[in-house]
Structure formats: C-alpha cells, structure tokens
C-alpha cells in the first residue's frame, strides 16, 4: 500500500488473508444462525460450518476435531490450560514453565502459586533454548504439568518440544505448549511430539482477531480441565458461550492455508529475513543478532544496534513498522523478561529491535527497509557522537 509503512511486526499480529476474509463473508449476515440451536436450517448451516472449521484446525496438528476447544484467543487458551489443569489437580500440585513464556502463561502461573500450587521456572541458555534435562530435573513426584512454548514471540527461538514431550510422557506429566508463533510456519505433529495441550491464536496466522483454540488430548491420557466460565454446554462445557461462527470459519480457513503453505512459505520468508540481515550487516557495524541461529522462526530477526536506543530508532522509523518487544509489554519501560532471561546486557537489550517478516512482504520492501534503517541508525549514532 503506498504511504503505508513496510509491515514487519508479524509477531504482534498479521493481516487477515483475503482468502480468509472471503470464507468468513457469508457468515456475518446471510448465514447467521446460532450453531448450537439444533432445530432449523440456518442453525444447521452454521453448525456445519463450525464443524468443517474444527476439522481444518485439527488437521494442522494431526489431531481429532473433538480435541479442539475454541476460545477468544491464545491468552484465554493459555489461561484455560494452566488454571484448568492445576485447579482440577490435587491441592498443592506442582508445575513447570520456562522463563521466557508469554505473559498469558507467566501471570496465571504466578496466580496459581499464590493459590498454593508449586511452581518451578526453568531457565534458558543465551540463545533462549530450554534444556530438556533441566525440565526433567525440575519434575517432582507432585508435578502434573509442564508448559514450554513452541517458539518465542520476541527472539524467535524454537524449543525442543519433541524431546520435552518424550520425557514428560515417560514421567507421566502433561505437556502444554503455546504454539501461537509456530502455527503458521512449523509442522507440528502433536502425536509424535507427545503434546497434550496446545494454544493457538487466529490473528497470529493471517486469521481474524478474537478467536483461538486450546487443543486438549482426548485420551491416553484423558485430561481433567476445570473451566474458567460456566453457563452453557458448548465446547464440552470446557468453554461455554455462543460460538462466533464467522471468526471460527476464518480461523479454520487460516489453518487450512497455513497447512497448504508449509512446503514453500517458511523458506520464502526465511530467505527474506536473511536478506534483511545481510543487507543490514553490509551497511552497518556494531550489530548483534539475538536468539538462536539454527532453531529459529523463519520470519524472526532480533537485532541489537549498539549505540542506538531501540525506542528512539522505532520512533524515527516512520516508514517501517517493527517493534522493540512484545506488544503487550512494550508500553511499560521494564526490560523484557525474555532478554533478561538470555542474559543480554541491559544497554544492548535497550538497543534492540524485533523484525517479523510475513506472508505479504516482498524483496523490494526488505531492500527499502534495510536502506531506511541504515540511514536512520547512522543519523542517530552521528547525533550521539557529536553530542547533539
Ligand atoms: C500473541 C501471543 C499470545 C496471545 O494471543 P492472543 O490471541 O492475542 O490472546 C500468546 N502467546 C504468544 C506466544 C503470543 O505471541
């Protein structure tokens, strides 16, 4: 779009894919029945559309459609997973999370700790990776759940979920993973990975805002989950409330497109990301790349520009939409818990910017971005150097 900045903030949200919009269109006013009213044709059409979308969502991870619980997004799905499993477990039960989880895992975890449950937070290495052996060491006889995200929303690090899943299975502990950032770009065979619960968000994968899902394994083991809300029989009573048909249809379409694109899109996006890194490095000195060089989301580039304040850089970058951290915590000036957990020096942490390349970015946009950033960084460094 002319006049619009180059959008490189795909970890915060993604544009709705035009194919998703098209799939949703009939369900706002033409086919508007309540999918839970069984007795008339409009309701049945809505129910059929929800069933088809549920199938599309479950296909993404090789699950059974009955294992999908639709929620308002991943914040709710993460809350439902943690609060739901622990509150259905014996008082004082123990659980394990990683230090770089999203706030929607960290905060319910702290809440559960205050309710008397035992919590262990496992650290990550300098690349942001969790060591499965440390997860194993954290598990006690009272542990019921481990929650480790599939990929991080700030530095893009991908976790060894299959290994963590194998050890959880061996120890008889449930594994939950926040799969939000991985959903549109990594194959996620949940059966192979021994994942028991997983959270998804529509708007992080080219679907609409306000819809997400919690995947909950049906058997081996069967999972007791205390709901957060009461007052309806929808979603097996795990998440009562009228199902938002248009959002669910859009989320289903987004999952189907993600699945069909897995063979080509991640490579294309990674190539654009690498192009951005190379162009920045050829124009500027004093850059440090954060995160894991190998186990990394294809669209993620997290750079520290030494000698430059990240927020000042982002403010000066009118023609590039990027971010200095998680959208939900960027407002306060606390240092990101993720950058703290990887042991990044505070000055470098404050000079870092997260770029998130996505489906609709072009090579021309990447080249333009590299040029804009180089010139703004040089200007900021120069201004600082001359004491202005
Ligand atoms: C965005 C995000 C969430 C929250 O998802 P919403 O659907 O916006 O509530 C949770 N976890 C991660 C890793 C995210 O990036």
């Amino acid at each position: 779009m002319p006049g619009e900045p180059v959008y490189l903030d795909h970890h915060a949200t993604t544009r709705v894919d035009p194919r998703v919009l098209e799939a949703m269109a009939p369900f706002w006013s033409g086919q508007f029945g309540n999918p839970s009213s069984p007795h008339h044709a409009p309701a049945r059409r809505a129910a059929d559309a929800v069933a088809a979308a549920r199938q599309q969502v479950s296909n993404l991870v090789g699950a059974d459609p009955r294992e999908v619980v639709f929620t308002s997004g991943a914040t709710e799905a993460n809350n439902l997973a943690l609060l739901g499993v622990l509150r259905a477990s014996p008082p004082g039960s123990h659980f394990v999370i990683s230090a770089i989880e999203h706030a929607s895992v960290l905060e319910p975890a702290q809440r559960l700790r205050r309710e008397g449950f035992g919590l262990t937070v496992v650290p990550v290495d300098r690349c942001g990776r969790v060591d499965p052996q440390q997860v194993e060491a954290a598990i006690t006889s009272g542990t019921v759940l481990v929650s480790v995200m599939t990929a991080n929303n700030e530095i893009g690090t991908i976790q060894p979920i299959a290994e963590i899943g194998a050890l959880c299975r061996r120890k008889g502990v449930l594994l939950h993973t926040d799969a939000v950032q991985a959903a549109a770009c990594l194959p996620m065979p949940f059966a192979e990975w021994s994942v028991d619960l997983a959270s998804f968000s529509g708007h992080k994968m080219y679907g609409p805002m306000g819809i997400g899902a919690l995947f909950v394994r049906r058997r081996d083991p069967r999972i007791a989950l205390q709901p957060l809300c009461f007052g309806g029989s929808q979603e097996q009573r795990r998440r009562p409330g009228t199902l938002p048909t248009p959002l669910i249809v859009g989320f289903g379409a987004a999952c189907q497109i993600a699945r069909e694109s897995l063979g080509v899109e991640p490579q294309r996006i990674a190539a654009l990301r690498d192009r951005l890194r190379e162009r920045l490095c050829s124009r500027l000195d004093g850059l440090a790349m954060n995160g894991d060089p190998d186990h990394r989301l294809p669209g993620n580039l997290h750079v520290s520009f030494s000698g430059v304040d990240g927020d000042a850089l982002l403010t000066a970058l009118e023609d590039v939409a990027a971010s200095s951290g998680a959208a939900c915590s960027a407002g306060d000036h606390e240092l990101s818990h993720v950058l703290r957990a990887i042991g990044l020096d505070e000055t470098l942490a404050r000079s870092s910017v997260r770029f998130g390349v996505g489906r609709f970015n072009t090579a021309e946009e990447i080249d333009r971005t590299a040029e804009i950033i180089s010139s703004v960084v040089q200007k900021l460094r120069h201004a600082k150097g001359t004491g202005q």
Side-chain angles (χ1 to χ4, degrees):
M1 241 184 282
E4 279 290 304
V6 178
Y7 188 80
L8 291 175
D9 201 12
H10 286 88
H11 301 297
T13 195
T14 57
R15 184 179 138 195
V16 175
D17 190 296
R19 293 165 286 182
V20 169
L21 212 51
E22 196 183 327
M24 292 166 71
F27 295 94
W28 294 106
S29 76
Q31 306 197 26
F32 63 90
N34 186 327
S36 306
S37 317
H39 297 301
H40 49 74
R44 273 197 301 276
R45 278 198 297 269
D48 288 348
V50 167
R54 196 184 296 282
Q55 183 74 54
Q56 289 171 315
V57 175
S58 63
N59 285 345
L60 188 62
V61 295
D64 184 299
R66 289 169 292 185
E67 297 179 312
V68 173
V69 176
F70 287 117
T71 64
S72 61
T75 298
E76 185 188 344
N78 283 338
N79 272 267
L80 180 58
L82 270 77
L83 301 175
V85 166
L86 270 295
R87 287 174 179 168
S89 302
S93 292
H94 174 256
F95 65 114
V96 179
I97 67 170
S98 90
I100 61 167
E101 296 301 309
H102 188 264
S104 57
V105 166
L106 292 176
E107 290 187 24
Q110 295 304 337
R111 168 82 204 191
L112 287 164
R113 210 169 47 83
R114 287 196 299 276
E115 288 177 14
F117 294 100
L119 168 62
T120 301
V121 180
V122 293
V124 293
D125 67 16
R126 295 192 73 86
C127 294
R129 286 266 280 183
V130 171
D131 177 356
Q133 284 183 354
Q134 292 194 326
V135 174
E136 183 154 13
I139 292 174
T140 68
S141 58
T143 308
V144 293
L145 179 74
V146 168
S147 180
V148 174
M149 70 204 315
T150 313
N152 184 263
N153 51 303
E154 290 188 44
I155 53 173
T157 304
I158 297 170
Q159 302 299 344
I161 297 299
E163 282 172 75
I164 297 172
L167 75 89
C168 286
R169 183 55 49 92
R170 208 164 59 237
K171 297 250 173 183
V173 171
L174 296 174
L175 174 62
H176 166 254
T177 189
D178 174 345
V180 168
Q181 294 290 340
C185 49
L186 293 186
M188 291 186 292
F190 279 174
E192 259 171 60
W193 288 4
S194 302
V195 164
D196 299 302
L197 304 111
S199 305
F200 297 89
S201 174
H203 76 100
K204 301 288 176 79
M205 48 190 304
Y206 311 96
M209 289 174 168
I211 186 74
L214 182 65
F215 159 86
V216 187
R217 182 181 292 285
R218 279 189 78 233
R219 56 177 132 83
D220 308 319
R222 183 157 180 85
I223 299 169
L225 201 65
Q226 186 181 110
L228 300 174
C229 292
F230 303 86
S233 58
Q234 294 92 346
E235 303 303 85
Q236 309 161 55
R237 296 196 174 273
R238 287 175 158 163
R239 207 288 191 169
T242 302
L243 293 166
T245 313
L247 300 182
I248 288 172
V249 167
F251 182 34
C255 288
Q256 164 113 22
I257 294 167
R259 182 158 164 258
E260 289 167 358
S261 314
L262 269 184
V264 287
E265 187 169 284
Q267 290 87 323
R268 191 186 73 82
I269 289 175
L272 290 177
R273 186 265 322 271
D274 293 343
R275 184 180 179 112
L276 179 59
R277 188 189 58 226
E278 283 154 20
R279 297 207 164 208
L280 288 175
C281 287
S282 73
R283 285 172 172 77
L284 292 167
D285 297 324
L287 303 191
M289 304 298 152
N290 305 310
D292 194 302
D294 304 316
H295 308 283
R296 179 180 207 95
L297 286 173
N300 180 278
L301 185 65
H302 196 284
V303 192
S304 297
F305 295 89
S306 72
V308 175
D309 179 67
D311 285 324
L313 175 55
L314 289 167
T315 313
L317 280 179
E318 283 175 23
D319 299 317
V320 178
S323 166
S324 61
C328 15
S329 55
D332 48 43
H333 277 267
E334 289 260 315
L335 198 59
S336 142
H337 69 284
V338 176
L339 301 185
R340 215 190 279 275
I342 61 172
L344 198 63
D345 160 84
E346 168 148 9
T347 321
L348 271 189
R350 295 213 185 271
S351 70
S352 57
V353 172
R354 173 188 73 179
F355 299 100
V357 181
R359 179 173 293 168
F360 303 107
N361 288 127
T362 63
E364 187 274 321
E365 286 181 325
I366 295 299
D367 296 352
R368 188 145 43 96
T369 299
E371 266 171 41
I372 296 169
I373 290 172
S374 313
S375 84
V376 173
V377 167
Q378 277 159 356
K379 245 181 252 166
L380 289 171
R381 282 181 178 165
H382 183 70
K384 209 173 157 192
T386 56
Q388 284 174 334

